[in-house]
Every structure is written in C-alpha cells, then in structure tokens.
Amino acid sequence: MATIVLTVTNDLTYDQRMQRICSALAEAGHSVELVGRELPHSLPLDGQPYRQCRLCCRFNHGFLFYAEHNIRLWAYLMRVRCDAVGTVDLDTLPAGCLAAVLRGKKRLFDAHEYFTEVPEVVSRPAVKFFWEMVARLCLPFYRHAYTVGPCLAEIFEKKYGIAFGVVRNMPLRDASFTIHHSSFKKVLLYQGALNAGRGIEQMLEAMRQLAGVELWLAGEGDLSGRLRQLAAEFGVEKQVRFLGFVKPADLKALTAQAWLGINVLENKGLSYYFSLANKFFDYVQAGVPVLTMDFPEYRALNEQHEVAVLLKKLTPEAVAESVGRLLEDPVEYEKLRRAALAAREQWVWENEKPRLLNYWAAMLSAPAAS
C-alpha cells in the first residue's frame, strides 16, 4: 500500500468530495494525508480515517495568497514522506507538480472544475492567461487524471492531450433515510458558497412572488453581507433564513426538510455551464426534487431520472414561474419526488468509489516516470 498526499487550497471542514476521496483511499489500505488551508474562522478539524494538515498563510486573497500557499505547500511536499501526490485543481498544481517531479514521486491530477473558466477568472484576461500557462507547463508531466463529469473530461482531453477519467461528486448512500419534507412548510434550500454567479440574487427577488414559501441559504461567501441587504431591500427578509456554514453531517438533516433543492447558476463561463455540483446529488439523496439549470450534465441526468425542473434562463420571473407551477401541480411534484427516490439508489458514492480506486491503482502500478 502507498503513502499518498492530496492537496487543496480550501478549508478541509466542509469539503465533502475530498472527505469521501481520502476516506475511500484510506479504507483501501493506503496511508493518506490531506493538506489544505487554515483560515481565521476555521473550526477545529473533525477526526477522519486519514491525516489532515492545514497551512496558515499571511495572505488570504488574490495573487499573493496563491503565491504564498504554493510556496508553503511546495516546501511541505519536499519534506513529507510519500509515494504519490494527488493535486487538486490548478491552484495547487505548481507546488504539487514541481515537488513530485523533483522528488520522482508518482502523481495524479484531480480537476474539480474548469478552473480557467470560473467567473472570477474568465472575466480577467491576465489572470486567465496565468492559470492557462500553469496548466500548459505542468500537465504534460501527468499521465493520470480525472474530473467530475463527462463533458469536462472530454474538454480537458482535447485541450491538454492527456486522458481524463470521471469520478462524479455523489453522496454516500443514506441508510437512515426518512422522508420529512412532505409534511413541512414549503422550503427552498440552497447549499453552497454565497458567491457571484450562483443565482442567489435572482432567488431573493423571486421570493417576492412566492408567498408562503421560505428560502434557506446554507453557506457563506463573498456576497454574504450584500445578500442580507438585498433580502431587506426586496422585503423578503422574513421569508429568508441565512443559516451560515453548516457541517456536512448536519446538512443531511437540513436537506431532508426541504421541499425543493436549488442549484441555479448564471452562465458566466464554461465551468458553470459544464458543472455537475455535489448539491444536485445531495438533494436527490434526500428524496428532494431540484430546480436546476438546463445545462448539459443536468439535462443528461434528467433524461435518466426526471428529478428536476430545468430552468432555461435565470431570471427572477423564470424562477418564480417554475416554483409556482410546482406549487399549483402536486401531481407533477409527486412525479419528480418519486423519480428522486428511484435515482437516489443509483446516484451514490458507492457506485463511484470503484472508479476512483481503479484510477489510483493504475497510477500507483505505473512506472514512476510516467
């Protein structure tokens, strides 16, 4: 069995995908360490079946943060004992690639998103050019990689000339599942970062047309303060609950209380357009229908199990109309709910984990130079 170090730039407490990946590798017998970032508001880490390390940086935003974090991460990777380095996304690739190549360690790349096409990057040509250069310089040193969905895998293979597998970001099967939401008030639940492009502003404005409905927001982000102001400006503050950061274990119980899960994004870059968010699967695992965008990955999933209302455009009017239609048509809602109950048996981490382990086994069994 191998000693594996995986790297991210985020706090480790709320990263469900990495928790599942590291746990799966540890359960397979590997010695695993996940290296992330310590923030001023970081909570103490929960116990996991793998080691955890958080690097503390002087800078927490912008170029100086990425530069400092990669320098600290490179220094850490140069001294830590390991057989392989798993680098997650382009923002840890400089350090991960350089350390693994210099030390002759095996390496694997995990793309959680289309990093150069996220809204924060795609609108800034110089920043986008920098990260594109990072990818062009580093990825030729990799022969093993995977990402979160088929569309992104195809794009990355054509763009970078290496094969990308797919490990979808699905939740663990919930054996304790019980249906709660049918007897509760009509709750629209959004879980995730309160950042630009997530459609939260449109959701808040739509609430003005949705009497008797509540919107729960589980998460914080760059727009936390502004969104609270908007709720007051729109006169919907009594319909909106800002729940702050919620730990994954608590999020399950919260999601089970929802009537409809919200996964709406502005089409502000190819990363969002080809996204396959974990929240979509979390809602389905709780037996909750979803309001999501009519983007390729969600459209393909909805053709397998019609669990969602697909939104063709993100406007307050379109949101209010779609939610209102479900409120007025309990038969249609029940059809979506029953589809979610069927899909939840298939869209689970237990079906994705073998793919993950196969990709890692292939990398670990390959010659060190490949």
Side-chain angles (χ1 to χ4, degrees), residues 28 45 51-52 71 74 87 90 116 136 148 160 199 218 250 262 274 300 311 315 327 334 359-360:
L45 291 169
R51 296 185 305 281
Q52 301 173 88
I71 291 170
W74 175 78
T87 303
L90 296 186
T116 58
R136 298 289 183 188
V148 294
Y160 301 122
D250 299 326
I262 303 301
F274 291 115
L311 204 60
T315 64
L327 289 168
E334 181 64 14
Y359 294 140
W360 276 92

Side-chain angles (χ1 to χ4, degrees), residues 39 60 85 95 121 123 139 166-167 169 175 216 219 271 292 319 327 332 335 339 350 363:
L39 293 162
N60 284 313
V85 176
V121 173
S123 60
L139 287 181
V166 175
V167 179
N169 200 2
W216 294 2
S271 184
T292 193
V319 169
L327 289 168
E332 176 65 17
K335 183 181 77 171
E350 287 80 356
M363 183 272 289

Side-chain angles (χ1 to χ4, degrees), residues 20-232:
R20 286 190 285 265
I21 287 174
C22 292
S23 295
L25 291 170
E27 290 164 7
H30 300 295
S31 176
V32 180
E33 180 174 7
L34 177 60
V35 182
R37 165 190 184 188
E38 184 169 4
L39 293 162
H41 60 263
S42 290
L43 299 175
L45 291 169
D46 293 331
Q48 299 288 355
Y50 52 87
R51 296 185 305 281
Q52 301 173 88
C53 171
R54 293 191 295 203
L55 303 178
C56 185
C57 293
R58 181 185 301 270
F59 302 99
N60 284 313
H61 301 284
F63 175 79
L64 290 176
F65 159 69
Y66 289 112
E68 180 187 6
H69 186 85
N70 271 275
I71 291 170
R72 292 181 182 274
L73 178 59
W74 175 78
Y76 185 82
L77 293 175
M78 288 298 292
R79 67 177 184 269
V80 70
R81 188 176 73 85
C82 66
D83 301 306
V85 176
T87 303
V88 178
D89 284 329
L90 296 186
D91 52 356
T92 66
L93 188 57
C97 178
L98 184 59
V101 170
L102 288 177
R103 297 185 65 190
K105 302 299 182 181
K106 296 181 179 182
R107 47 201 177 270
L108 183 147
F109 180 62
D110 177 358
H112 284 193
E113 60 188 351
Y114 197 165
F115 194 87
T116 58
E117 289 288 334
V118 298
E120 298 87 348
V121 173
V122 72
S123 60
R124 301 160 68 190
V127 174
K128 181 177 180 178
F129 175 78
F130 172 81
W131 289 114
E132 287 283 13
M133 289 303 298
V134 167
R136 298 289 183 188
L137 290 171
C138 294
L139 287 181
F141 290 97
Y142 287 75
R143 293 294 178 268
H144 303 273
Y146 54 77
T147 187
V148 294
C151 290
L152 287 183
E154 184 178 351
I155 290 171
F156 293 154
E157 286 181 6
K158 291 178 180 177
K159 188 168 186 175
Y160 301 122
I162 62 174
F164 272 78
V166 175
V167 179
R168 294 180 294 181
N169 200 2
M170 293 183 177
L172 289 162
R173 180 177 280 110
D174 187 0
S176 63
F177 169 75
T178 54
I179 300 173
H180 297 293
H181 57 273
S182 59
S183 60
F184 276 69
K185 62 184 74 174
K186 298 298 188 294
V187 171
L188 313 181
L189 174 67
Y190 169 87
Q191 52 173 270
L194 306 187
N195 289 342
R198 304 299 179 94
I200 308 169
E201 300 95 323
Q202 292 87 341
M203 288 298 308
L204 289 174
E205 189 169 352
M207 293 301 294
R208 297 196 293 186
Q209 304 176 52
L210 296 171
V213 175
E214 290 189 8
L215 174 63
W216 294 2
L217 302 172
E220 296 289 355
D222 297 339
L223 296 183
S224 291
R226 175 57 181 157
L227 292 173
R228 286 169 168 82
Q229 292 176 359
L230 278 179

Side-chain angles (χ1 to χ4, degrees), residues 249-265:
D250 299 326
L251 199 55
K252 281 187 176 182
L254 189 70
T255 305
Q257 300 178 46
W259 178 76
L260 189 68
I262 303 301
N263 180 42
V264 293
L265 295 166

